[in-house]
Structures are given as structure tokens and as C-alpha cells.
Amino acid sequence: MRTALAIARKELSIYFTTPWAYAVFTAMLAVASFFFVNSLYEFQRAQEMARTLGWERVPQEFRNLTDGVMVPFWSSVMTITLFVVPFLSMRLFAEEKRNKTFELLMTAPVRPVEIVLGKYLGGLGIITTTLGLTIVFPVLLSLLGSSESGTVLEWGTVLLAYGGLLLWGATCMAIGMFISTLTESQMVAALVTFAVLLPWMLLRGLAQAAEEPLRSFISHLSFDAQLTGLLRGVLDLEAPIFFLSVIFFSLLLSHRSVEAQRWA
């Protein structure tokens, strides 16, 4: 495990000493800011409509800041993560192959499982940092917002939603890392990762044309369906188990891929 942690530290140092990571951080905050302000604007419009026409004309989710602002914001962050992670995971193995250092790594006294775990932990660190930057928005809302009950946000819901986003980011990173083991082109790795994640996330919508029970089964496998409850503050152990299973399977595939190339 010590070797894996050393590899993880190396990966994190590479991320944080290159402009690419900071460009991703900046882009993440800029796009997230846009969606946060848009959610605030929609919430304000709903409040004004309620004062004019009455609360019965306004959807129930607009009656508090958590459901009216943060839940739509988290859905936007989930979509942003779908675009960001492929460009963070693409370099994990593809860059080693392109720079011809993968062969050196394979001949070092390091087991493939340690290499895979170390690189994944490094990738997990960078996506946790990226998602963690968005915590500034609920903090600002809590400091500057107001509520008749005195509690601006339901922090239990906030923390559970961020736990769900972290699981989502970790899953995307695991899938992206596996694809990165298959190619030496970082751009190919990023595009294929995106091509895998996007349909998987949209499975629930794509399954509507299918007949039961196939429709329910396919919808159940959708990332979007599994995340919906967590982003709304509903704790269901089925979702973490689903994401952890996908992460484990992706890491297993990455290990098999690296091990196969070691003896090729």
C-alpha cells in the first residue's frame, strides 16, 4: 500500500504542477457559477410569482433554498463532471505510453495492482479537489441567504448530495482510467470515456421505448437514476453499492489490462 500511496503522490504532484489542472479548476468554477446564478434567478422568479399569484401556483420545490437552488445546481454539476473527468483521467496511462515510460514502469519492482491503485488514488484526489471547489456555493448561500425558519440550507442534504457527486466522479475516473490503459493517445482516451459515460448516464431516457420489465431493468442501470435520490437528500444504500460495484469492476479491468501488457 505504501508503494501505491507513493504513486498517488507522484500523480497529484504532476497534476498540480501543470497548468492543465488549474485550467480545469477555473473552467469548473466558471461554468458552475453560471448554473448557480441561473438557479438563484429561477428561485427568485418563483418567489415573486408566489407573492403575486399565491403559493399554490408555484412548484413545491421552490419553497426552500435547498430544493429550489441547490438540487438543480447539483444536477448541473453532475453534467459538468461528465465533461471534466475524461480530460482528467486521459493521461493516467496514455501519457506513460506516449512518453515511452510505461515500459520502465512495468520493469520496476512494483506490482500491477499497486500501479493501478496508486494512479486511481491520484485521479481520485484531483476529482475530489475539483468537486470540492463547488462547496463554496452552498457556503455563500448559507452565509448570505435568509429563511423564516432560521436554517437557510439543510446541511444533511448538502453533505449527502456531495457524497453522491463524489461517488459519481470516482466512478467516471475509474472508467476513464481503464480506457486510458488501452491507448497511448490521450485524446482518444478522453473521447472514448465520454462516449461510454454519456449513453450510460442517459440510459433511463433511452429505455423508455423498451417494454417492461426490460425498461425498468435498463433504467435501473442508469447513472442518472441512481444519482437522483442522493442529489435530493434521500439515502438509499442501493446507489452507493451500485457505484462502488462499477468502480471495483473498472479497477479490476484496469489491473487485467496492465498485467496483460506487462507480459506482452
Side-chain angles (χ1 to χ4, degrees):
M1 191 62 185
R2 185 178 300 175
T3 304
L5 291 176
I7 294 174
R9 284 194 296 270
K10 174 196 169 188
E11 291 298 323
L12 284 173
S13 67
I14 292 173
Y15 276 119
F16 285 109
T17 54
T18 57
W20 181 244
Y22 296 98
V24 170
F25 294 159
T26 303
M28 182 71 168
L29 282 176
V31 179
S33 297
F34 170 81
F35 285 105
F36 180 71
V37 171
N38 185 66
S39 295
L40 278 176
Y41 175 71
E42 292 297 328
F43 183 80
Q44 185 179 19
R45 284 185 58 193
Q47 295 290 306
E48 292 173 353
M49 185 182 298
R51 295 189 192 100
T52 305
L53 303 177
W55 282 105
E56 63 277 1
R57 298 290 189 90
V58 178
Q60 189 173 0
E61 60 266 23
F62 286 109
R63 299 188 181 186
N64 65 79
L65 286 167
T66 303
D67 293 333
V69 176
M70 295 311 304
V71 171
F73 172 71
W74 290 321
S75 297
S76 301
V77 172
M78 178 184 71
T79 304
I80 298 169
T81 304
L82 175 70
F83 288 89
V84 167
V85 171
F87 293 100
L88 292 175
S89 65
M90 65 181 184
R91 56 159 301 278
L92 287 172
F93 281 94
E95 186 178 55
E96 298 273 8
K97 294 181 179 182
R98 185 174 61 85
N99 294 335
K100 307 302 181 184
T101 56
F102 184 73
E103 291 80 3
L104 294 175
L105 189 62
M106 291 296 96
T107 56
V110 183
R111 293 180 298 169
V113 65
E114 293 174 325
I115 297 172
V116 170
L117 284 178
K119 285 187 170 289
Y120 179 67
L121 289 175
L124 189 59
I126 195 69
I127 191 58
T128 300
T129 303
T130 304
L131 290 172
L133 292 173
T134 64
I135 198 74
V136 68
F137 298 108
V139 170
L140 285 173
L141 198 59
S142 183
L143 292 175
L144 303 177
S146 62
S147 172
E148 293 179 0
S149 65
T151 304
V152 177
L153 292 179
E154 300 168 4
W155 278 97
T157 300
V158 172
L159 295 177
L160 185 59
Y162 272 101
L165 287 174
L166 182 58
L167 277 173
W168 164 238
T171 303
C172 294
M173 184 62 67
I175 294 172
M177 186 179 71
F178 165 61
I179 294 171
S180 183
T181 66
L182 304 176
T183 179
E184 64 178 26
S185 171
Q186 296 185 53
M187 191 53 62
V188 168
L191 292 175
V192 173
T193 300
F194 180 75
V196 170
L197 292 175
L198 181 61
W200 199 338
M201 188 178 76
L202 299 177
L203 272 180
R204 182 165 58 173
L206 298 174
Q208 296 307 308
E211 299 292 334
E212 293 289 357
L214 182 61
R215 178 169 57 192
S216 297
F217 175 72
I218 295 176
S219 298
H220 181 74
L221 296 178
S222 169
F223 287 137
D224 180 52
Q226 294 292 337
L227 269 176
T228 297
L230 292 176
L231 297 185
R232 294 184 178 277
V234 179
L235 180 58
D236 183 359
L237 292 180
E238 184 178 323
I241 291 172
F242 173 80
F243 284 110
L244 290 174
S245 299
V246 176
I247 291 171
F248 176 78
F249 187 62
S250 299
L251 293 180
L252 180 63
L253 290 177
S254 298
H255 174 258
R256 294 300 185 191
S257 176
V258 171
E259 193 170 37
Q261 294 174 64
R262 185 174 193 175
W263 299 109

